[in-house]
Amino acid sequence: MYTSPRRSVAFIGSECHPFVKTGGLGDVMYALPRVLAQQNCDVRVILPRYACIPQKYQDKMVYRGEFYMDLGQTGRSYYVGIMEYVWDGVVYDFIDNQEFFSAGNPYIGLVDDIPKYCYFSKAALAALNYMNWIPDIVHCHDWQAALVPVYLRTLFKDSPVGRAKSVLTIHNLRFQGIYNIPTIRYWTGLPDEVFEMGALKQDYVNANMLKGGLAYADRITTVSNTYAWEIQTAEYGEKLEDHLRYHSYKLRGIVNGIDYGMWNPATDPSLAVNYDITNVLQHKPENKRALQQELGLVQDEGKFVIGLISRLTDQKGLDLVSAVIPQVMDGNTQVVVLGTGDKEYEDTFRYYENACKGMFSACIQYDEARAHRIYAGADALLVPSRFEPCGLTQLNAMHYGTLPIVRETGGLKDTVEPYNVFNGAGNGFTFDRYDAGLLLDAINRAKTEYFTSRYHWDEVVQRDMAKDVSWENSARQYKDLYLELTPW
């Protein structure tokens, strides 16, 4: 285990499994602090106390104190309650305020979310001062916590927490927290200089919370090396590419890991048959048969089963998938889709389920346990994203001995090495340009290998299962970053 000098870190973000989770951010906020705690870090996670947090966790929260805080130009004092929950070496502090956090979902719409996260970012820092727990590093995530570095260097610079260094992680650059300057000035009370072009100001009339955080943070990280490079280009920069190039000296890419406690085929309670690298070749076909039975597909171990586990949105390359399904469905191939999202994709996949009975399954739902069974029962997993900051599905798939078919973008490019038919190297099948024909070609290459060179396919399965995709390595890189920022 990595036991370099001890550092204290406050994680500040808008979601964290198992309390509230809508995407990959929730997984990172859960897994990374736990591994850092094992690597000699003192970690606290600060979250909003949403009403939608399950009651079983609410009941275990302990009252830590309360205070009142002014907010922006509102002329009012706002209640800040602190409820604490300690679990697995990590302290979770929930910021309590019924006025902001009583809705059923964490995210409602910008009109409600802007004031809520202006309040949350300030309250998180004020709570650290109130508890007299002053971290070496404040590590904040995405636009909802992007004002933390701005507050830290302005309104909090002369308070105890002001000596902390700040790290801001971009999980998805598409969401930035943009609203008109008067509204954000009203809710934050930040000084005039932060509303200049180099910081929060954008398009002359708007303030961009993420842009401000990037300007004021001591380090910026994103969730893969390739994505760190891509977001400095016009194609992926979401209008912040110039700003990111200007701050590129403090930008790093660190690939996410997966939690082996939650994702482990040897102990996974969701699977029909557990297996590990020593017996995957015997037991994976049994999981395939169980999956086929569960979903009403033709039960035949010889079929090539392709899984697709995804939010059904444009970002995920589903227009390419729907374009190639007719050519993919050749009688030897079955496709299993799991996810919810845009109605057009939900309807398309339902149509194919009806048209290709027994060979195509569309599970339009969010079902964590079924996702585990698809990873275990499928032969290949499709991730043809338009852009993908990191991607966790390809890592889960590899750990379950399922070969990824991915587009070479962001974290997909960093984690999947294309299979080489000449020397057998590589751990998946890839294509580069965003093009349906190239996706079909990658699927066909995978099928050819599966049906004609099963020995080589099985070698790659075992190689993927042996690959370390845990959080240990990623956490070590974050720890090194914290030490670099705090050399005392």
Side-chain angles (χ1 to χ4, degrees), residues 263-265 268 270-275 280 283-289 291 305 309 369-381 396-397 399-402:
W263 298 100
N264 184 353
D268 192 330
S270 307
L271 305 192
V273 186
N274 290 110
Y275 60 92
V280 58
H283 293 325
K284 207 160 175 7
E286 297 170 56
N287 281 292
K288 181 192 283 193
R289 252 200 323 275
L291 180 69
V305 178
I309 301 171
R370 179 165 282 176
H372 287 237
R373 291 193 289 278
I374 294 171
Y375 286 123
D379 296 298
L381 186 89
N396 293 334
H399 196 50
Y400 278 61
T402 299

Side-chain angles (χ1 to χ4, degrees), residues 246-279:
Y246 182 79
H247 291 283
S248 61
Y249 68 95
K250 59 186 183 185
L251 174 61
R252 298 281 164 82
I254 300 174
V255 170
N256 289 338
I258 59 172
D259 185 326
Y260 279 14
M262 275 163 61
W263 298 100
N264 184 353
T267 57
D268 192 330
S270 307
L271 305 192
V273 186
N274 290 110
Y275 60 92
D276 59 27
I277 191 167
T278 64
N279 55 20

Side-chain angles (χ1 to χ4, degrees), residues 281-434:
L281 303 180
Q282 292 82 54
H283 293 325
K284 207 160 175 7
E286 297 170 56
N287 281 292
K288 181 192 283 193
R289 252 200 323 275
L291 180 69
Q292 289 167 331
Q293 184 175 359
E294 176 185 345
L295 299 178
L297 297 173
V298 173
Q299 289 179 56
D300 179 354
E301 278 172 31
K303 301 287 186 220
F304 183 65
V305 178
I306 301 174
L308 175 69
I309 301 171
S310 176
R311 289 197 320 278
L312 305 182
T313 64
D314 266 352
Q315 178 206 329
K316 298 297 183 180
L318 301 180
D319 52 334
L320 303 187
V321 176
S322 50
V324 303
I325 287 172
Q327 291 101 302
V328 170
M329 306 308 294
D330 56 5
N332 295 313
T333 308
Q334 295 176 334
V335 176
V336 178
V337 175
L338 174 69
T340 60
D342 297 351
K343 187 174 184 303
E344 65 166 306
Y345 296 125
E346 292 186 354
D347 291 348
T348 298
F349 294 135
R350 284 196 185 103
Y351 164 81
Y352 281 117
E353 179 177 64
N354 200 39
C356 310
K357 282 196 168 54
M359 299 299 278
F360 193 106
S361 172
C363 312
I364 308 301
Q365 65 191 135
Y366 174 77
D367 186 333
E368 191 87 28
R370 179 165 282 176
H372 287 237
R373 291 193 289 278
I374 294 171
Y375 286 123
D379 296 298
L381 186 89
L382 214 49
V383 199
S385 304
R386 190 182 293 272
F387 68 95
E388 194 62 68
C390 176
L392 294 174
T393 51
Q394 82 279 12
L395 301 179
N396 293 334
M398 289 191 279
H399 196 50
Y400 278 61
T402 299
L403 304 196
I405 301 172
V406 307
R407 177 163 174 258
E408 293 172 14
T409 181
L412 301 172
K413 182 170 181 167
D414 289 353
T415 54
V416 181
E417 183 191 340
Y419 178 72
N420 184 323
V421 291
F422 301 107
N423 63 11
N427 59 4
F429 298 86
T430 72
F431 65 105
D432 52 8
R433 272 197 342 277
Y434 191 77

Side-chain angles (χ1 to χ4, degrees), residues 114-250:
I114 294 285
K116 176 165 71 184
Y117 293 115
C118 289
Y119 162 85
F120 171 64
S121 296
K122 188 174 185 187
L125 291 173
L128 290 170
N129 279 337
Y130 173 83
M131 294 185 288
N132 196 28
W133 193 85
I134 307 305
D136 300 313
I137 303 283
V138 174
H139 190 160
C140 32
H141 298 263
D142 273 351
W143 76 265
Q144 294 90 348
L147 285 182
V148 169
V150 187
Y151 280 127
L152 200 60
R153 294 287 164 261
T154 53
L155 305 183
F156 284 84
K157 73 169 183 281
D158 298 323
S159 75
V161 78
R163 71 178 177 80
K165 297 289 190 182
S166 61
V167 176
L168 174 58
T169 296
I170 304 166
H171 295 268
N172 191 335
L173 190 61
R174 181 162 278 187
F175 306 106
Q176 299 175 8
I178 301 171
Y179 216 69
N180 63 68
I181 289 173
T183 302
I184 291 184
R185 196 190 292 269
Y186 174 80
W187 282 108
T188 61
L190 286 165
D192 289 346
E193 72 259 20
V194 309
F195 293 98
E196 295 303 321
M197 240 358 175
L200 275 136
K201 193 174 191 178
Q202 181 171 324
D203 303 335
Y204 298 98
V205 292
N206 287 327
N208 180 329
M209 288 160 69
L210 182 65
K211 185 181 179 202
L214 299 172
Y216 278 83
D218 294 302
R219 288 288 183 278
I220 304 163
T221 71
T222 190
V223 287
S224 70
N225 260 320
T226 299
Y227 192 61
W229 174 81
E230 285 176 340
I231 58 177
Q232 298 177 57
T233 68
E235 188 178 353
Y236 298 97
E238 304 286 351
K239 298 186 179 168
L240 286 183
E241 60 272 12
D242 295 344
H243 190 62
L244 282 157
R245 278 201 301 275
Y246 182 79
H247 291 283
S248 61
Y249 68 95
K250 59 186 183 185

